[in-house]
Amino acid sequence: QRSTQSRSSAASDVYKRQLMSSQPKQDQKNTDYLKRGTALNVPKRSMSNKKKRKKSGLGVFLGHQNWNLVLNMMLGVQQAVKSIIENDQYEITSRDYKLKYYFELVPKRSNVNKDSIKICQFFDYAPQVFYDIRKIYGVSNEEYVKSI
């Protein structure tokens, strides 16, 4: 009978130790959240093993080969926004999705030979549809043009 009591007390002691070890102590901070893959313990990727990529084509600046293209795109968008008729009672039809406006953007240079002037072509696809999308999200034409 004594051996069964010692076995049961030993088993309860083991159970108590397991229970106590699974519970965090009150004076220690609970850091289990660090083991779950939070932003605090995610290791930073080292670039030494991987090739460092060169960032190219991210910016266009004055004098860049695509500077005139960017300016023409900005002018085309401005021209397209100006051409939209703001009518709140206009209902979009299937025809509006197929509509395409064509603009020719001519540079304003008076002292250059007229034969050497490059005319930029700008196409505005479904202008009324995109106007309505901007209107739904609360973006006015002025805000849209300023964002470009």
Side-chain angles (χ1 to χ4, degrees), residues 70-122:
V70 171
L71 286 178
N72 286 330
M73 288 173 59
M74 290 169 53
L75 290 172
V77 169
Q78 288 175 1
Q79 193 73 15
V81 169
K82 286 179 188 176
S83 70
I84 294 174
I85 299 170
E86 297 181 21
N87 188 357
D88 292 336
Q89 286 134 10
Y90 183 79
E91 285 290 323
I92 293 180
T93 62
S94 61
R95 181 181 161 267
D96 290 322
Y97 289 94
K98 298 173 186 173
L99 193 62
K100 176 174 76 171
Y101 290 148
Y102 170 76
F103 299 100
E104 285 187 350
L105 304 173
V106 181
K108 296 179 182 178
R109 294 185 183 171
S110 60
N111 59 354
V112 179
N113 185 3
K114 291 185 179 185
D115 296 332
S116 65
I117 294 176
K118 285 188 175 180
I119 297 174
C120 179
Q121 299 174 350
F122 185 84

Side-chain angles (χ1 to χ4, degrees), residues 127-146:
Q128 194 66 39
V129 175
F130 285 106
Y131 167 72
D132 280 1
I133 292 171
R134 289 192 302 272
K135 187 172 71 173
I136 288 169
Y137 287 100
V139 179
S140 69
N141 286 342
E142 293 81 25
E143 289 174 330
Y144 178 62
V145 170
K146 283 181 185 178

Side-chain angles (χ1 to χ4, degrees), residues 56-70:
S56 64
L58 294 179
V60 178
F61 47 87
L62 184 63
H64 190 273
Q65 65 183 3
N66 292 330
W67 179 252
N68 287 335
L69 174 67
V70 171

Side-chain angles (χ1 to χ4, degrees), residues 8-57:
S8 66
S9 66
S12 66
D13 288 343
V14 169
Y15 175 74
K16 286 179 185 176
R17 274 188 249 132
Q18 287 176 349
L19 184 64
M20 294 299 283
S21 67
S22 67
Q23 293 178 348
K25 295 180 182 177
Q26 290 182 2
D27 56 331
Q28 290 180 343
K29 291 183 179 178
N30 189 0
T31 58
D32 289 339
Y33 66 91
L34 291 175
K35 297 177 186 174
R36 292 189 198 134
T38 61
L40 298 174
N41 71 339
V42 175
K44 292 182 180 179
R45 293 185 212 168
S46 65
M47 293 298 285
S48 60
N49 296 343
K50 298 177 184 177
K51 293 180 182 178
K52 292 184 181 180
R53 288 189 232 170
K54 190 177 184 181
K55 294 182 181 179
S56 64

